[in-house]
Each structure stands twice: as C-alpha cells, then as structure tokens.
Amino acid sequence: MEMKQPMMTQEECKTEGGGHEEAQENGRLMADGVAEKGPKASPQSGQVSNGYPASSPQSPTEACTGSGGAPRTLVVQQTSLELPRETWSKKMDFLLSVVGYAVDLGNVWRFPYICYQNGGGAFLLPYLLMAVFGGVPLFYMELALGQFHRSGCISIWRQICPIFKGIGFAICIIALYIAFYYNTIMAWALYYLLSSFSSMLPWSTCGNAWNTANCTRYTFTDRNVSWSDHSISPAEEFYTRQVLQVHLSSGLHQLGAVSWQLALCLLFIFTVVYFSIWKGVKTSGKVVWVTATLPYVVLVLLLIRGATLPGAWRGVVYYLKPDWKKLLSTTVWIDAAAQIFFSLGPGFGVLLAYASYNPFHNNCYKTAAVCFPLTLFLLVPPPWSVPGLPTGPSLLFIIYAEAIANMPAATFFAIIFFLMIIMLGLDSTFAGLEGVITALLDEFPQVLAKRREWAVLGLVCICYLGALSTLTYGGAFVVKLFEEYATGPAVITVVFLEVIAVSWFYGTSRFCSDIQMMLGFSPSWFWRVCWMIICPCFLLFIIGSFLAFPPEVKLFHYLYPAWTTVLGYCIGVSSFICVPSYMVYHLLITPGPFKQRLLKSITPEVGAAGGPHRDIVTNAV
C-alpha cells in the first residue's frame, strides 16, 4: 500500500511562506526517518539499496515552477505500510542457530560408522575434499540467497526463477516428513534421561522385568565373560524391549498400539519446541545459547573421561586406523559426498530462512567459513573400547549407553549425555520448523503475518499427529523407513535443481553482483566454478549413486519386504512431485504465446513481494 501524492491546484502553487517550508521540513524528516531504518544507499550505482532508481516524479515545487525556475526541492520518501522484517537480536544468535542446525544427531550416530566402514582415517581425505568443493559452496550459496532476497524457500523463487517455485513447496513437505520421525528420537532420549535418575542405570543389569535369559552383561574390566551367538547385552534389551517394545510388533504390516510413555515424552518435546519458536527468531535466538553450546561442553567432558578408561587407545585405533586401499572404491567417495551434504544441511530451507532475518550487509561469508570447522569438532571419535559399531540410533542408545554404564559416576555421565542428545535434536527441530514457518508467512502474509503463534501451534499439532505412527510398538520400523526414503533422495534432487536454477537460469554473474552489493566484494572464481560446475556434478553424483545402489533396509532382525520399497519411493516422490507439477501449473496460468510464457517463467519478477528491502517501496527525491 503506497501513499499517493495529489496534484496541486494553481492556487496552491502560489502559496508561499511557512506552509511550504513546513512541508519541506516534514518531507526531509520523513525521508531521514525511513532512511535510518533501511540499508545504506550505494552512491555509485545511482540507485537506492532496494533496487529502485534514485529518480522520481517532480516535487510539488518543481511541478509549479517548471524546469526553468529556481525550485526549492522537497524531499519525499514514500513507504509501504508493511511491517518491517524481524531481525536477529545479535549476530551471535544467528551464528549459534546455524551451528546448532548443522551439528545434529547425524554427526554423532552416522559419521563414526561411515568413517570406520570406509577406511577409518583414510576416509577423512574424500570427506574434506567433498566438503571444500561441494558442501561449503552450497552452504554459502543458500546463506547469500536468503540474506539478499529476505524471503523463505517458497516466495524467494519469484525473484530468482518463478517456474522453480515448486522447489519451495517440496522443501516444506520434506521438512514435515523429517518432523514426523526426528522428534521421536528425542522422545527416546528423554525416556533414557528420565530413567538415568537412579543409583543404578536400568540398562546396566540383567535382573529386570524386560530382560530375557539371553541377557549377558559386558564390562570393561571383566574379560572372562563368554558370549554366544544368542547373547544380548542389557543395554540392547533395555532399548528394544523396554523403550521401543519392538518385540510386540511383527513389522510394518502390524505396528501395534501407541506407547503412552513415548507419547508423553514426545508431547513434552513439542511443547518445548513450540514455546521456543512461537515468537520468531527473537526467542529461538536466545534458546540456542543453551542448546547449541551445551553439546560441545558435554562432548569435552565425555572425551576426557573416556580417554582415561582402560584400553581407550584401542577404540581410537579401531576407529581411525587408515585403510588407504579403500580410497580406490567408488562407494567411499559416494558415502563422503552424502555425509558432508547431510552434515551441513543445504536444501532444507533452513539456511534461507535464518539468513533472511539478517541485516542486509551482514557478512554471511564469515558465517560459512566458521560453521564448517565447528561441525568437524563433533566428529571427534569417542575413545571407548566397545564391541561393534552400528549406525543410527542403535549407536546412541546401545553402544554409547553401554559404554557410559561402565564408567565411574555413570549416572552423572548418562544424564549429561542424553541431555546433549536432546539439545542436538532440538536445534535441528527449531531450524526445520522455522524454515516452514518463514516460508508460509512470506508466501501468505495477509493471512498469517499477524497470526504467527497460531500458525506455529497448527504446524506443531500436525507434526505430533504425523509422528503417532512412530510411537507404536513397531514405530522404529517407521522411523527407519522415513529416514531411508522420505528425505535423502528427494532433498538431494531438490538441491540439484536449486543450484541449476541459481547458477544457470538466474545467472552466476547476477548472483555474484548481488553478493557484491550486499557484502562489498564479489566472490572469487573458485566459488563461481563450484556453483556452476562442481556442485551440480557433486549432487548428480550422489543422485546417481542412490539410483544405482538402492539400499537394502534392515532393522534389528527385520528385513524390509519388497512392498515397503515401493511405499518408500512413493513417500519420496510425493514431495518432489511438487516441482514438475508447479512448472506445468505456472505455464498454464501465464498469459500469452508459449514462447513468451516460457521466457516470463524463467525471468525474475520485478518488485515481487518479499524481495530485498521490502520495507521500502519507493524513494523520491
């Protein structure tokens, strides 16, 4: 909504003295007041920072005197009545939020297994190469896009390449799928945390109601324990028979009833999530000071304590002993590419959303440079000499839990460890839901702008209801299905289309010019080559590996049947289908001949709502 400047009558043109001077002074004050809120203008470009030219219709005095007179210039700045966009209270709030999002449970449970399986210390070479040439450039690209265009993952495409707007809808659906199962893992961790408040950890002994005759206790000091093919550790039985109760389900075709204990734990988790993000980044930016920093403190304590255990060096050697022959295998490079992608997390709409709340001239380049080393810190190997090294939640809730049970002061270390797991999960949940909320608020501002609290409540309720299937006795099978099929292939394909749209349709030169306007310097040739060539090849390489080597999904003793593979691919396609569907829809609703419609569909819209500096609509001098 803009203020309209009426035409002056002949009598008004003849008015002299205080009335005109007062209007002139009011105009200057108005311009100064709005200019203080907006970004700085670029004196060299001939434009103000919102992209509009620094020229305007004539002032009232100019209209009266004509070009030959000596006008007294009235400075007028017209503004939109739109509310200004929220920003982070401090730069550190943004940095901690991004670090908390990038460092999640996958760093703790997936990397140790992948590293050991692919050559130990030798795996670090392809991992770092994939990070430098693939993961970090994508990370930087999304931060720059979000900060410049100041929009969520849906509306931002009107300013980049409108026909790819379906990418935003696909990202939101993927984020919902993640919320359906990711928070359930935190509910398991909360169950462990509550069970840790006892003098003897319940998963350290075999004399409990849920244990079977095959329960065999293992300790670091007792080397005379005899294991058979049927032996099960007390930590594994606590996890499978007490927490999950998976023995009461025969598979995905018979999930069983909902566990009321886990349902209450998940309700508590979502309550914490709601009151952390309901007011926006002003509140979540404060919460991350605890949730993003506590994991590093706890990890340092656990590493110090673990290093003093008998035989700790064996765990380190077992974990990092390099096997250089593994580097000749294509699988190692595929796993390195996939791991770095999921470690830094581009493509989930989170980096776009978080960066959109930054001041326009914030140096997001430094953020990208700082975040990657911090994510590497949580990849430090746990120096515990334990048998076996599985991946996924089993590593957290069986292997790590068993190692903690064998420590002195086990209760204390169990409490801080599972508190750390919850903190890691909460950061990622804050980020994922904030990405969806920001996208919806920017796309439907008239409906949701003043109803953020209700929008967040509705989203949280949807996520809780969608997670009920993961709280059943067979819920662990559902979690595994979502983890394998609902997110991985879909989000990688979406990011591949995203980098193609930005680099080749929007244009790398235009994108670099945006960054120069925003940061004061242009990206080097390294970033340009990565965005145009290396990153698309990097993502295409991962997509091809998924198609060439479909995973054989197995959990505990349950091998997923063939029909679950079809179901999994249907779940994955259900989000990605938004991209081609919206392309067809956009071409149909765009008027004109097909060639003109196609050209308009790949051309950024001028003055699209939600664009950069949308607080200022016009500037008149």
Side-chain angles (χ1 to χ4, degrees), residues 258-453:
V258 173
S259 171
W260 65 269
Q261 299 98 323
L262 294 180
L264 290 178
C265 289
L266 186 62
L267 180 62
F268 177 80
I269 293 294
F270 272 119
T271 302
V272 173
V273 170
Y274 174 73
F275 286 106
S276 298
I277 67 173
W278 69 322
K279 292 293 186 180
V281 295
K282 296 291 186 182
T283 54
S284 64
K286 299 297 182 292
V287 176
V288 295
W289 281 82
V290 176
T291 58
T293 58
L294 183 63
Y296 290 90
V297 177
V298 173
L299 185 66
V300 169
L301 292 175
L302 291 174
L303 286 174
I304 294 174
R305 185 66 192 97
T308 61
L309 291 175
W313 63 272
R314 298 176 184 171
V316 177
V317 173
Y318 177 79
Y319 178 76
L320 286 181
K321 183 180 180 181
D323 183 1
W324 300 107
K325 295 180 181 179
K326 290 277 189 178
L327 297 181
L328 300 177
S329 173
T330 308
T331 307
V332 174
W333 296 85
I334 293 173
D335 287 344
Q339 178 61 34
I340 192 60
F341 176 84
F342 288 111
S343 292
L344 294 176
F348 293 93
V350 174
L351 300 176
L352 291 172
Y354 275 171
S356 72
Y357 296 111
N358 276 334
F360 182 71
H361 297 290
N362 178 68
N363 195 337
C364 57
Y365 177 78
K366 288 185 178 180
T367 304
V370 169
C371 283
F372 178 62
L374 291 177
T375 60
L376 289 179
F377 182 78
L378 274 187
L379 304 180
V380 176
W384 298 327
S385 179
V386 291
L389 190 63
T391 187
S394 296
L395 179 63
L396 300 180
F397 300 114
I398 297 179
I399 302 300
Y400 285 4
E402 185 175 332
I404 291 173
N406 285 278
M407 289 182 177
T411 297
F412 168 74
F413 285 107
I415 291 172
I416 64 171
F417 175 76
F418 289 109
L419 188 60
M420 177 191 75
I421 297 303
I422 294 173
M423 296 297 106
L424 287 173
L426 284 176
D427 286 332
S428 297
T429 299
F430 296 161
L433 295 185
E434 184 60 53
V436 177
I437 288 295
T438 299
L440 295 178
L441 291 179
D442 288 342
E443 183 65 15
F444 309 105
Q446 299 85 359
V447 179
L448 301 176
K450 297 182 179 180
R451 302 179 180 87
R452 179 186 171 93
E453 293 87 351

Side-chain angles (χ1 to χ4, degrees), residues 24-363:
Q24 182 179 4
E25 182 67 22
N26 289 341
R28 288 199 181 100
L29 291 174
M30 181 180 177
D32 294 341
V34 177
E36 289 177 0
K37 297 179 182 179
K40 298 178 182 179
S42 174
Q44 300 176 352
S45 62
Q47 295 184 345
V48 292
S49 57
N50 67 342
Y52 288 85
S55 60
S56 66
Q58 292 177 321
S59 68
T61 306
E62 290 171 332
C64 296
T65 61
S67 58
R72 291 151 61 187
T73 304
L74 173 63
V75 180
V76 177
Q77 182 148 356
Q78 298 179 334
T79 64
S80 169
L81 297 183
E82 210 175 330
L83 293 175
R85 190 174 186 84
E86 185 180 15
T87 57
W88 298 95
S89 299
K90 299 178 182 179
K91 287 185 178 181
M92 188 58 67
D93 294 353
F94 167 68
L95 178 62
L96 290 177
S97 297
V98 173
V99 170
Y101 162 68
V103 180
D104 67 347
L105 295 178
N107 293 69
V108 180
W109 82 41
R110 192 172 189 270
F111 186 85
Y113 170 81
I114 295 296
C115 183
Y116 167 73
Q117 187 184 45
N118 291 287
F123 177 73
L124 297 179
L125 176 61
Y127 180 81
L128 292 175
L129 287 176
M130 291 295 180
V132 171
F133 293 100
V136 176
L138 290 172
F139 191 87
Y140 178 30
M141 183 188 75
E142 288 208 352
L143 289 180
L145 283 173
Q147 184 171 304
F148 183 84
H149 295 288
R150 306 194 72 184
S151 297
C153 62
I154 297 178
S155 57
I156 194 174
W157 291 102
R158 285 180 286 180
Q159 305 147 63
I160 299 176
C161 190
I163 200 172
F164 284 96
K165 190 176 179 180
I167 290 176
F169 294 105
I171 289 173
C172 291
I173 295 176
I174 293 172
L176 285 179
Y177 288 156
I178 294 174
F180 289 167
Y181 77 88
Y182 193 83
N183 298 280
T184 300
I185 300 172
M186 282 189 288
W188 300 344
L190 180 59
Y191 191 102
Y192 269 82
L193 177 64
L194 298 176
S195 301
S196 299
F197 289 94
S198 59
S199 57
M200 181 68 71
L201 295 178
W203 59 86
S204 62
T205 60
C206 289
N208 303 287
W210 58 82
N211 293 125
T212 64
N214 293 325
C215 182
T216 305
R217 186 180 181 186
Y218 172 87
T219 63
F220 292 131
T221 56
D222 188 0
R223 303 298 182 182
N224 297 321
V225 176
S226 59
W227 282 75
S228 66
D229 294 337
H230 302 288
S231 296
I232 304 176
S233 68
E236 181 176 352
E237 288 202 340
F238 179 80
Y239 175 56
T240 58
R241 298 181 63 85
Q242 176 63 11
V243 179
L244 302 181
Q245 302 182 66
V246 72
H247 63 287
L248 300 177
S249 171
S250 56
L252 283 172
H253 62 283
Q254 188 178 359
L255 295 177
V258 173
S259 171
W260 65 269
Q261 299 98 323
L262 294 180
L264 290 178
C265 289
L266 186 62
L267 180 62
F268 177 80
I269 293 294
F270 272 119
T271 302
V272 173
V273 170
Y274 174 73
F275 286 106
S276 298
I277 67 173
W278 69 322
K279 292 293 186 180
V281 295
K282 296 291 186 182
T283 54
S284 64
K286 299 297 182 292
V287 176
V288 295
W289 281 82
V290 176
T291 58
T293 58
L294 183 63
Y296 290 90
V297 177
V298 173
L299 185 66
V300 169
L301 292 175
L302 291 174
L303 286 174
I304 294 174
R305 185 66 192 97
T308 61
L309 291 175
W313 63 272
R314 298 176 184 171
V316 177
V317 173
Y318 177 79
Y319 178 76
L320 286 181
K321 183 180 180 181
D323 183 1
W324 300 107
K325 295 180 181 179
K326 290 277 189 178
L327 297 181
L328 300 177
S329 173
T330 308
T331 307
V332 174
W333 296 85
I334 293 173
D335 287 344
Q339 178 61 34
I340 192 60
F341 176 84
F342 288 111
S343 292
L344 294 176
F348 293 93
V350 174
L351 300 176
L352 291 172
Y354 275 171
S356 72
Y357 296 111
N358 276 334
F360 182 71
H361 297 290
N362 178 68
N363 195 337

